[in-house]
Short mmCIF file of all heavy atoms in Angstrom, two decimals:
data_model
loop_
_atom_site.label_atom_id
_atom_site.label_comp_id
_atom_site.label_asym_id
_atom_site.label_seq_id
_atom_site.Cartn_x
_atom_site.Cartn_y
_atom_site.Cartn_z
N MET A 36 83.10 106.28 116.81
CA MET A 36 81.81 105.66 116.49
C MET A 36 82.05 104.20 116.11
O MET A 36 82.76 103.93 115.13
CB MET A 36 81.18 106.41 115.32
CG MET A 36 79.80 105.90 114.98
SD MET A 36 79.23 106.55 113.37
CE MET A 36 79.64 108.29 113.51
N PRO A 37 81.52 103.26 116.87
CA PRO A 37 81.75 101.85 116.52
C PRO A 37 81.03 101.48 115.23
O PRO A 37 80.00 102.05 114.90
CB PRO A 37 81.18 101.08 117.72
CG PRO A 37 80.25 102.01 118.37
CD PRO A 37 80.69 103.41 118.04
N LEU A 38 81.61 100.53 114.55
CA LEU A 38 80.99 100.08 113.31
C LEU A 38 79.72 99.30 113.61
O LEU A 38 79.56 98.73 114.67
CB LEU A 38 81.96 99.19 112.54
CG LEU A 38 83.18 99.90 111.96
CD1 LEU A 38 84.06 98.89 111.24
CD2 LEU A 38 82.76 100.99 110.99
N GLU A 39 78.88 99.29 112.66
CA GLU A 39 77.64 98.53 112.76
C GLU A 39 77.95 97.06 113.07
O GLU A 39 78.86 96.48 112.49
CB GLU A 39 76.92 98.63 111.41
CG GLU A 39 75.47 98.24 111.43
CD GLU A 39 74.84 98.47 110.06
OE1 GLU A 39 75.14 99.52 109.46
OE2 GLU A 39 74.10 97.61 109.62
N ALA A 40 77.19 96.48 113.99
CA ALA A 40 77.42 95.08 114.37
C ALA A 40 77.32 94.18 113.15
O ALA A 40 76.39 94.32 112.34
CB ALA A 40 76.43 94.66 115.43
N GLY A 41 78.26 93.29 113.02
CA GLY A 41 78.23 92.36 111.90
C GLY A 41 78.96 92.85 110.68
O GLY A 41 79.28 92.07 109.79
N LEU A 42 79.19 94.15 110.64
CA LEU A 42 79.85 94.69 109.44
C LEU A 42 81.28 94.17 109.31
O LEU A 42 81.71 93.79 108.22
CB LEU A 42 79.85 96.22 109.50
CG LEU A 42 80.41 96.95 108.28
CD1 LEU A 42 79.66 96.55 107.02
CD2 LEU A 42 80.33 98.45 108.46
N LEU A 43 81.99 94.12 110.45
CA LEU A 43 83.38 93.66 110.40
C LEU A 43 83.49 92.25 109.83
O LEU A 43 84.44 91.94 109.13
CB LEU A 43 83.98 93.69 111.80
CG LEU A 43 84.85 94.87 112.18
CD1 LEU A 43 85.54 94.60 113.51
CD2 LEU A 43 85.89 95.17 111.12
N GLU A 44 82.50 91.42 110.14
CA GLU A 44 82.59 90.02 109.71
C GLU A 44 82.55 89.88 108.20
O GLU A 44 83.04 88.89 107.66
CB GLU A 44 81.46 89.18 110.33
CG GLU A 44 81.70 88.78 111.76
CD GLU A 44 81.16 89.79 112.75
OE1 GLU A 44 79.97 89.70 113.07
OE2 GLU A 44 81.90 90.68 113.18
N ILE A 45 81.94 90.82 107.52
CA ILE A 45 81.83 90.68 106.07
C ILE A 45 82.89 91.48 105.34
O ILE A 45 82.98 91.41 104.12
CB ILE A 45 80.42 91.08 105.57
CG1 ILE A 45 80.14 92.54 105.89
CG2 ILE A 45 79.37 90.18 106.18
CD1 ILE A 45 78.86 93.04 105.22
N LEU A 46 83.69 92.23 106.10
CA LEU A 46 84.73 93.02 105.46
C LEU A 46 86.03 92.22 105.40
O LEU A 46 86.32 91.43 106.29
CB LEU A 46 84.97 94.31 106.24
CG LEU A 46 83.80 95.28 106.26
CD1 LEU A 46 84.16 96.51 107.08
CD2 LEU A 46 83.41 95.70 104.86
N ALA A 47 86.79 92.46 104.37
CA ALA A 47 88.10 91.82 104.25
C ALA A 47 89.07 92.81 103.63
O ALA A 47 88.67 93.76 102.94
CB ALA A 47 88.01 90.57 103.37
N CYS A 48 90.32 92.59 103.92
CA CYS A 48 91.37 93.43 103.36
C CYS A 48 91.34 93.30 101.84
O CYS A 48 91.39 92.20 101.31
CB CYS A 48 92.72 92.98 103.92
SG CYS A 48 94.12 93.79 103.15
N PRO A 49 91.26 94.40 101.11
CA PRO A 49 91.22 94.31 99.65
C PRO A 49 92.55 93.87 99.05
O PRO A 49 92.58 93.43 97.91
CB PRO A 49 90.86 95.73 99.21
CG PRO A 49 91.28 96.61 100.34
CD PRO A 49 91.12 95.78 101.60
N ALA A 50 93.62 93.98 99.84
CA ALA A 50 94.92 93.60 99.30
C ALA A 50 95.18 92.11 99.43
O ALA A 50 95.69 91.48 98.51
CB ALA A 50 96.03 94.39 100.01
N CYS A 51 94.82 91.52 100.60
CA CYS A 51 95.15 90.11 100.82
C CYS A 51 93.94 89.29 101.25
O CYS A 51 94.07 88.09 101.48
CB CYS A 51 96.26 89.98 101.86
SG CYS A 51 95.73 90.41 103.52
N HIS A 52 92.78 89.93 101.41
CA HIS A 52 91.52 89.24 101.72
C HIS A 52 91.49 88.63 103.11
O HIS A 52 90.68 87.74 103.39
CB HIS A 52 91.19 88.18 100.66
CG HIS A 52 91.21 88.75 99.27
ND1 HIS A 52 90.30 89.69 98.83
CD2 HIS A 52 92.08 88.56 98.25
CE1 HIS A 52 90.59 90.02 97.58
NE2 HIS A 52 91.67 89.36 97.20
N ALA A 53 92.37 89.08 103.99
CA ALA A 53 92.33 88.62 105.38
C ALA A 53 91.23 89.40 106.12
O ALA A 53 90.84 90.49 105.68
CB ALA A 53 93.69 88.87 106.04
N PRO A 54 90.74 88.85 107.24
CA PRO A 54 89.76 89.60 108.05
C PRO A 54 90.39 90.88 108.60
O PRO A 54 91.61 91.01 108.69
CB PRO A 54 89.42 88.63 109.18
CG PRO A 54 89.88 87.29 108.72
CD PRO A 54 91.03 87.53 107.79
N LEU A 55 89.52 91.80 108.98
CA LEU A 55 89.97 93.07 109.53
C LEU A 55 89.61 93.15 111.01
O LEU A 55 88.63 92.58 111.46
CB LEU A 55 89.32 94.23 108.77
CG LEU A 55 89.69 94.31 107.30
CD1 LEU A 55 88.80 95.32 106.59
CD2 LEU A 55 91.15 94.68 107.12
N ARG A 56 90.42 93.89 111.75
CA ARG A 56 90.22 94.07 113.18
C ARG A 56 90.06 95.56 113.44
O ARG A 56 90.87 96.37 113.00
CB ARG A 56 91.43 93.49 113.93
CG ARG A 56 91.47 93.75 115.41
CD ARG A 56 92.59 92.93 116.05
NE ARG A 56 93.84 92.96 115.26
CZ ARG A 56 94.78 93.90 115.40
NH1 ARG A 56 94.65 94.83 116.30
NH2 ARG A 56 95.86 93.88 114.66
N GLU A 57 89.01 95.91 114.17
CA GLU A 57 88.77 97.32 114.47
C GLU A 57 89.66 97.74 115.63
O GLU A 57 89.75 97.08 116.65
CB GLU A 57 87.30 97.54 114.85
CG GLU A 57 86.92 99.01 114.95
CD GLU A 57 85.43 99.19 115.17
OE1 GLU A 57 84.75 98.19 115.49
OE2 GLU A 57 84.95 100.32 115.03
N GLU A 58 90.34 98.85 115.43
CA GLU A 58 91.22 99.38 116.47
C GLU A 58 91.11 100.89 116.45
O GLU A 58 91.57 101.54 115.52
CB GLU A 58 92.66 98.94 116.21
CG GLU A 58 93.43 98.59 117.47
CD GLU A 58 94.77 97.93 117.13
OE1 GLU A 58 94.80 96.70 116.96
OE2 GLU A 58 95.75 98.66 117.04
N GLY A 59 90.47 101.43 117.48
CA GLY A 59 90.21 102.87 117.46
C GLY A 59 89.31 103.19 116.29
O GLY A 59 88.28 102.56 116.10
N ASP A 60 89.71 104.16 115.49
CA ASP A 60 88.89 104.51 114.32
C ASP A 60 89.56 104.02 113.04
O ASP A 60 89.42 104.63 111.99
CB ASP A 60 88.63 106.01 114.28
CG ASP A 60 89.92 106.82 114.24
OD1 ASP A 60 91.00 106.19 114.36
OD2 ASP A 60 89.86 108.04 114.11
N GLU A 61 90.26 102.89 113.17
CA GLU A 61 90.92 102.33 112.00
C GLU A 61 90.62 100.84 111.93
O GLU A 61 90.24 100.21 112.92
CB GLU A 61 92.43 102.53 112.08
CG GLU A 61 92.86 103.99 112.06
CD GLU A 61 94.36 104.12 112.19
OE1 GLU A 61 94.96 103.43 113.03
OE2 GLU A 61 94.92 104.93 111.46
N LEU A 62 90.84 100.28 110.77
CA LEU A 62 90.71 98.83 110.58
C LEU A 62 92.08 98.28 110.20
O LEU A 62 92.69 98.72 109.22
CB LEU A 62 89.69 98.51 109.49
CG LEU A 62 88.25 98.93 109.79
CD1 LEU A 62 87.36 98.59 108.60
CD2 LEU A 62 87.73 98.25 111.05
N HIS A 63 92.51 97.31 111.01
CA HIS A 63 93.82 96.72 110.78
C HIS A 63 93.66 95.37 110.09
O HIS A 63 92.89 94.53 110.53
CB HIS A 63 94.55 96.50 112.12
CG HIS A 63 94.98 97.78 112.77
ND1 HIS A 63 96.28 98.04 113.12
CD2 HIS A 63 94.26 98.88 113.13
CE1 HIS A 63 96.36 99.26 113.67
NE2 HIS A 63 95.15 99.78 113.70
N CYS A 64 94.43 95.17 109.03
CA CYS A 64 94.46 93.88 108.36
C CYS A 64 95.08 92.86 109.31
O CYS A 64 96.09 93.14 109.95
CB CYS A 64 95.30 94.00 107.08
SG CYS A 64 95.62 92.41 106.31
N THR A 65 94.45 91.69 109.40
CA THR A 65 94.99 90.64 110.27
C THR A 65 95.79 89.62 109.47
O THR A 65 96.12 88.55 109.98
CB THR A 65 93.86 89.92 111.03
OG1 THR A 65 92.99 89.30 110.08
CG2 THR A 65 93.06 90.88 111.88
N GLY A 66 96.09 89.93 108.25
CA GLY A 66 96.89 89.04 107.42
C GLY A 66 98.34 89.02 107.88
O GLY A 66 98.69 89.59 108.92
N ASP A 67 99.16 88.37 107.10
CA ASP A 67 100.56 88.25 107.51
C ASP A 67 101.27 89.61 107.44
O ASP A 67 100.72 90.59 106.95
CB ASP A 67 101.29 87.21 106.64
CG ASP A 67 101.20 87.55 105.16
OD1 ASP A 67 101.15 88.75 104.83
OD2 ASP A 67 101.17 86.63 104.35
N ALA A 68 102.49 89.63 107.92
CA ALA A 68 103.21 90.90 108.07
C ALA A 68 103.50 91.55 106.73
O ALA A 68 103.79 92.74 106.67
CB ALA A 68 104.51 90.66 108.84
N GLU A 69 103.45 90.78 105.66
CA GLU A 69 103.72 91.38 104.36
C GLU A 69 102.64 92.36 103.96
O GLU A 69 102.86 93.25 103.16
CB GLU A 69 103.84 90.28 103.29
CG GLU A 69 105.15 89.54 103.38
CD GLU A 69 105.26 88.47 102.29
OE1 GLU A 69 104.70 88.67 101.21
OE2 GLU A 69 105.91 87.46 102.56
N CYS A 70 101.44 92.18 104.50
CA CYS A 70 100.36 93.13 104.21
C CYS A 70 100.26 94.06 105.42
O CYS A 70 100.97 95.04 105.51
CB CYS A 70 99.06 92.40 103.94
SG CYS A 70 97.72 93.53 103.51
N GLY A 71 99.37 93.73 106.36
CA GLY A 71 99.29 94.51 107.59
C GLY A 71 98.85 95.95 107.38
O GLY A 71 99.13 96.81 108.20
N LEU A 72 98.14 96.22 106.30
CA LEU A 72 97.71 97.59 106.03
C LEU A 72 96.67 98.05 107.05
O LEU A 72 95.96 97.23 107.64
CB LEU A 72 97.14 97.69 104.61
CG LEU A 72 98.17 97.57 103.48
CD1 LEU A 72 97.46 97.49 102.13
CD2 LEU A 72 99.14 98.73 103.50
N VAL A 73 96.61 99.34 107.25
CA VAL A 73 95.65 99.94 108.18
C VAL A 73 94.75 100.87 107.38
O VAL A 73 95.23 101.80 106.72
CB VAL A 73 96.38 100.72 109.29
CG1 VAL A 73 95.37 101.36 110.24
CG2 VAL A 73 97.32 99.79 110.06
N TYR A 74 93.44 100.60 107.47
CA TYR A 74 92.47 101.37 106.69
C TYR A 74 91.74 102.36 107.57
O TYR A 74 91.35 102.04 108.69
CB TYR A 74 91.47 100.42 106.02
CG TYR A 74 92.15 99.45 105.08
CD1 TYR A 74 92.61 98.23 105.54
CD2 TYR A 74 92.36 99.80 103.76
CE1 TYR A 74 93.26 97.35 104.69
CE2 TYR A 74 93.01 98.92 102.90
CZ TYR A 74 93.46 97.71 103.37
OH TYR A 74 94.12 96.85 102.53
N PRO A 75 91.51 103.55 107.08
CA PRO A 75 90.79 104.55 107.87
C PRO A 75 89.28 104.30 107.85
O PRO A 75 88.76 103.65 106.94
CB PRO A 75 91.12 105.87 107.15
CG PRO A 75 91.35 105.48 105.73
CD PRO A 75 91.95 104.08 105.77
N VAL A 76 88.61 104.77 108.89
CA VAL A 76 87.14 104.78 108.92
C VAL A 76 86.73 106.25 108.99
O VAL A 76 87.10 106.96 109.92
CB VAL A 76 86.59 104.02 110.13
CG1 VAL A 76 85.06 104.09 110.15
CG2 VAL A 76 87.04 102.57 110.10
N ARG A 77 86.03 106.70 107.98
CA ARG A 77 85.65 108.11 107.92
C ARG A 77 84.14 108.23 108.05
O ARG A 77 83.40 107.66 107.25
CB ARG A 77 86.10 108.72 106.58
CG ARG A 77 87.62 108.71 106.49
CD ARG A 77 88.12 109.56 105.33
NE ARG A 77 89.58 109.42 105.23
CZ ARG A 77 90.21 109.08 104.11
NH1 ARG A 77 89.54 108.92 103.00
NH2 ARG A 77 91.51 108.96 104.09
N ASP A 78 83.71 108.96 109.08
CA ASP A 78 82.28 109.14 109.33
C ASP A 78 81.57 107.80 109.43
O ASP A 78 80.45 107.63 108.95
CB ASP A 78 81.64 110.00 108.23
CG ASP A 78 82.26 111.38 108.16
OD1 ASP A 78 82.60 111.92 109.23
OD2 ASP A 78 82.41 111.91 107.06
N GLY A 79 82.26 106.81 110.06
CA GLY A 79 81.65 105.51 110.27
C GLY A 79 81.68 104.61 109.06
O GLY A 79 81.13 103.51 109.10
N ILE A 80 82.32 105.05 107.99
CA ILE A 80 82.36 104.26 106.77
C ILE A 80 83.79 103.79 106.52
O ILE A 80 84.68 104.63 106.34
CB ILE A 80 81.85 105.08 105.56
CG1 ILE A 80 80.41 105.52 105.83
CG2 ILE A 80 81.97 104.27 104.28
CD1 ILE A 80 79.90 106.51 104.83
N PRO A 81 84.00 102.48 106.53
CA PRO A 81 85.36 101.99 106.28
C PRO A 81 85.80 102.32 104.86
O PRO A 81 85.04 102.13 103.91
CB PRO A 81 85.22 100.46 106.47
CG PRO A 81 83.92 100.25 107.16
CD PRO A 81 83.05 101.41 106.79
N VAL A 82 87.01 102.84 104.75
CA VAL A 82 87.56 103.17 103.44
C VAL A 82 88.54 102.06 103.08
O VAL A 82 89.70 102.10 103.44
CB VAL A 82 88.26 104.54 103.46
CG1 VAL A 82 88.80 104.89 102.07
CG2 VAL A 82 87.29 105.62 103.92
N LEU A 83 88.04 101.05 102.39
CA LEU A 83 88.86 99.89 102.08
C LEU A 83 89.50 100.04 100.71
O LEU A 83 89.18 99.33 99.76
CB LEU A 83 88.03 98.61 102.17
CG LEU A 83 87.46 98.33 103.56
CD1 LEU A 83 86.68 97.03 103.56
CD2 LEU A 83 88.56 98.29 104.61
N LEU A 84 90.38 101.00 100.64
CA LEU A 84 91.13 101.25 99.41
C LEU A 84 92.61 101.17 99.74
O LEU A 84 93.08 101.83 100.66
CB LEU A 84 90.81 102.63 98.85
CG LEU A 84 89.33 102.87 98.46
CD1 LEU A 84 89.11 104.33 98.12
CD2 LEU A 84 88.95 101.98 97.29
N VAL A 85 93.32 100.38 98.96
CA VAL A 85 94.75 100.25 99.21
C VAL A 85 95.44 101.61 99.11
O VAL A 85 96.36 101.91 99.87
CB VAL A 85 95.37 99.22 98.22
CG1 VAL A 85 96.88 99.18 98.37
CG2 VAL A 85 94.78 97.84 98.47
N ASP A 86 94.97 102.44 98.21
CA ASP A 86 95.57 103.76 98.04
C ASP A 86 95.38 104.64 99.26
O ASP A 86 96.14 105.58 99.48
CB ASP A 86 94.97 104.47 96.82
CG ASP A 86 95.50 103.89 95.51
OD1 ASP A 86 96.48 103.12 95.56
OD2 ASP A 86 94.94 104.21 94.47
N GLU A 87 94.34 104.37 100.04
CA GLU A 87 94.04 105.18 101.24
C GLU A 87 94.64 104.58 102.50
O GLU A 87 94.65 105.20 103.55
CB GLU A 87 92.53 105.31 101.41
CG GLU A 87 91.82 106.02 100.28
CD GLU A 87 92.03 107.52 100.30
OE1 GLU A 87 92.12 108.07 101.40
OE2 GLU A 87 92.12 108.11 99.22
N ALA A 88 95.09 103.35 102.41
CA ALA A 88 95.60 102.66 103.59
C ALA A 88 97.01 103.15 103.92
O ALA A 88 97.70 103.74 103.09
CB ALA A 88 95.63 101.15 103.34
N ARG A 89 97.37 102.91 105.18
CA ARG A 89 98.74 103.26 105.57
C ARG A 89 99.41 102.00 106.10
O ARG A 89 98.76 101.05 106.52
CB ARG A 89 98.73 104.35 106.64
CG ARG A 89 98.16 103.91 107.98
CD ARG A 89 98.31 105.01 109.03
NE ARG A 89 97.70 104.63 110.30
CZ ARG A 89 98.31 103.87 111.21
NH1 ARG A 89 99.52 103.42 110.99
NH2 ARG A 89 97.70 103.55 112.34
N ARG A 90 100.72 102.05 106.07
CA ARG A 90 101.50 100.97 106.66
C ARG A 90 101.71 101.29 108.14
O ARG A 90 102.02 102.42 108.47
CB ARG A 90 102.87 100.88 105.99
CG ARG A 90 102.78 100.55 104.52
CD ARG A 90 103.12 99.09 104.31
NE ARG A 90 102.83 98.71 102.90
CZ ARG A 90 102.49 97.48 102.56
NH1 ARG A 90 102.38 96.55 103.47
NH2 ARG A 90 102.24 97.19 101.31
N PRO A 91 101.53 100.31 109.02
CA PRO A 91 101.78 100.59 110.43
C PRO A 91 103.25 100.92 110.63
O PRO A 91 104.11 100.34 109.99
CB PRO A 91 101.39 99.29 111.14
CG PRO A 91 101.42 98.25 110.08
CD PRO A 91 101.15 98.93 108.77
N SER A 92 103.50 101.87 111.51
CA SER A 92 104.88 102.30 111.73
C SER A 92 105.62 101.32 112.63
O SER A 92 105.00 100.57 113.35
CB SER A 92 104.91 103.69 112.35
OG SER A 92 104.07 103.73 113.46
ZN1 ZN B 209 95.83 92.67 104.13
#
């Protein structure tokens, strides 16, 4: 399910405040490699919690 138009533009990584990029059903931090966290989207709702994010493998 794609995110609501315009929603991505107002979202930012809670860890480093970089913009996010939608990829599949996840949101990838576009910040530098030191962050790069991947946030899940559950039922169309981005879960922007560092505790819920994963590190890309
Ligand atoms: Zn980040």
